[in-house]
């Protein structure tokens, strides 16, 4: 995998500048807002025309196609091409957007849905509230979610509902005895040291482990970005979005599934985790 040419600081500064400009436009008079929006659309249309030509030409040449694949790994290039619809966002990202769009309808009926993962044509969804049950309302809400996902994300062939429990990377047990060290289990921090919305790293003899707490759901991963293997513990954990952004090159990961939202082919390495007598134990692979 090639090294990203865009640094995390550059990407953050560029995004902040766009956000600041949009905020300033929102404060203008309606007529001025309309003019600014038209200028934005005209510039974006011009950029899309040029970018489409560049991408089409690169795809026609084997050398260009290889270079294009490397360029798309850069978060700034990927974000730009996705924004213009030249490169489609990965199925996980698009499925998440579909659920976000369906959420107001579900919540108005007392339900909600959480996307756990998209893998091998299957969308794994955890249902909450009125969605999670066998009543007519629950069936209707589930059907609404399924139809939206299958319609908007062609890569998804079916929906599978997972139990409203922790994800596979999380294992909670109530045991009187600590896990067997000879079987590879290692004692980490106390659960009180990783409150909701926080992450903590610790080192074993062989590997550095990252523990993430998202809404009281613990996940354990190898403390290494799937991009270049650099530590993630200095990155930005956004509990509201459920994402972790690498501090080195800006790669963004879903903290529940480990899926990379920047480069779909990347994936964090999860470790089995269990909580025993208030202590977090992990089993590095």
């Amino acid at each position: 995998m090639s090294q990203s040419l865009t640094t995390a600081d550059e990407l953050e500064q560029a995004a902040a500048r766009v956000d600041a400009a949009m905020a300033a436009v929102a404060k203008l008079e309606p007529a001025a807002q309309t003019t600014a929006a038209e200028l934005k659309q005209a510039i974006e249309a011009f950029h899309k025309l040029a970018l489409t030509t560049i991408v089409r030409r690169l795809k026609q040449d084997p050398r260009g196609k290889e270079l294009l694949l490397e360029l798309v790994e850069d978060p700034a290039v990927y974000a730009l091409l996705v924004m213009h619809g030249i490169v489609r966002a990965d199925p996980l990202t698009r499925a998440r957007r579909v659920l976000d769009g369906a959420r107001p309808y579900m919540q108005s009926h007392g339900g909600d849905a959480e996307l756990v993962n998209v893998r091998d044509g299957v969308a794994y969804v955890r249902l909450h509230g009125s969605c999670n049950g066998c009543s007519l309302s629950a069936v209707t809400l589930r059907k609404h979610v399924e139809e939206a996902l299958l319609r908007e994300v062609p890569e998804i062939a079916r929906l599978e509902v997972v139990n409203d429990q922790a994800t596979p990377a999380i294992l909670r047990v109530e045991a009187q005895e600590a896990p067997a060290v000879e079987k590879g289990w290692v004692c980490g921090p106390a659960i009180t040291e990783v409150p909701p919305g926080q992450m903590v790293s610790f080192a074993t003899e062989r590997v550095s482990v990252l523990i993430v707490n998202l809404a009281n759901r613990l996940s354990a991963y190898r403390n290494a970005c799937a991009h270049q293997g650099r530590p993630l513990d200095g990155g930005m954990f956004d509990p509201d979005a459920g994402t972790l952004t690498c501090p080195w090159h800006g790669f963004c990961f879903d903290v529940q599934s480990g899926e990379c939202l920047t480069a779909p082919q990347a994936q964090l390495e999860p470790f089995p985790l269990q909580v025993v007598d208030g202590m977090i134990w992990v089993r590095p692979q």
Side-chain angles (χ1 to χ4, degrees):
M1 197 175 288
S2 63
Q3 181 175 356
S4 172
L5 299 178
T6 304
T7 67
D9 287 342
E10 289 173 332
L11 189 62
E12 184 176 347
Q13 290 172 8
R17 185 177 178 184
V18 172
D19 290 341
M22 293 298 292
V25 168
K27 297 178 181 178
L28 298 175
E29 296 294 327
Q33 288 188 31
T34 301
T35 301
E38 173 57 28
L39 175 62
K40 173 178 175 291
Q41 293 171 6
I43 293 175
E44 288 179 350
F46 179 76
H47 288 170
K48 181 177 181 179
L49 179 63
L51 287 168
T52 301
T53 302
I54 292 171
V55 171
R56 184 182 298 119
R57 182 66 186 89
L58 286 172
K59 286 183 176 180
Q60 292 172 352
D61 190 303
R63 296 167 301 170
K65 185 179 296 185
E66 182 178 349
L67 178 60
L68 180 60
L69 290 174
E70 293 180 1
L71 286 170
V72 172
E73 293 181 0
D74 184 281
V77 175
Y78 178 77
L80 182 65
L81 297 181
V82 168
M83 181 182 74
H84 288 293
I86 299 172
V87 171
R88 298 188 71 184
D90 59 280
L92 185 68
T93 300
R94 283 183 281 129
R96 182 176 287 105
R97 291 173 182 169
V98 170
L99 281 187
D100 287 343
R103 185 157 287 113
Y105 173 81
M106 292 185 289
Q107 291 178 344
S108 69
H109 290 74
D112 205 345
E114 170 192 348
L115 183 66
V116 176
N117 200 357
V118 174
R119 185 176 65 252
D120 299 328
V122 181
Y124 296 89
V125 176
R126 182 177 293 113
L127 302 178
H128 302 283
S130 297
C131 292
N132 188 22
C134 56
S135 66
L136 180 60
S137 174
V139 172
T140 301
L141 289 174
R142 171 178 171 169
K143 184 178 180 181
H144 177 77
V145 171
E146 186 172 24
E147 289 179 347
L149 286 172
L150 268 60
R151 181 178 65 251
E152 301 295 335
V153 188
E155 293 90 340
I156 296 177
R158 63 185 177 88
L159 178 146
E160 184 170 320
V161 176
V162 300
N163 292 329
D164 194 11
Q165 301 292 333
T167 57
I170 309 166
L171 174 61
R172 293 181 180 272
V173 298
E174 296 299 332
Q176 298 300 320
E177 297 181 359
V181 174
E182 62 269 19
K183 292 185 178 180
W185 287 96
V186 178
C187 185
I191 193 171
T192 55
E193 296 179 40
V194 196
Q198 299 294 321
M199 60 181 182
V200 170
S201 65
F202 73 97
T204 70
E205 292 182 357
R206 297 185 295 113
V207 66
S208 178
V209 179
L210 184 68
I211 307 292
V212 185
N213 188 335
L214 177 64
N216 285 317
R217 290 194 178 96
L218 295 171
S219 299
Y221 294 105
R222 182 183 295 273
N223 185 24
C225 179
H227 177 216
Q228 290 189 344
R230 297 195 176 188
L232 285 167
D233 50 357
M236 183 181 71
F237 175 30
D238 185 343
D240 293 330
T243 58
L244 171 60
T245 302
C246 175
W248 303 98
H249 300 105
F251 272 48
C252 184
F253 297 89
D254 184 303
V255 297
Q256 289 195 70
S257 66
E259 294 283 344
C260 183
L261 307 180
T262 305
Q265 68 271 27
Q267 167 80 44
L268 293 181
E269 181 181 353
F271 294 145
L273 177 153
Q274 57 179 307
V275 177
V276 180
D277 295 331
M279 299 300 296
I280 299 173
W281 289 74
V282 298
R283 188 175 61 192
Q285 305 300 321

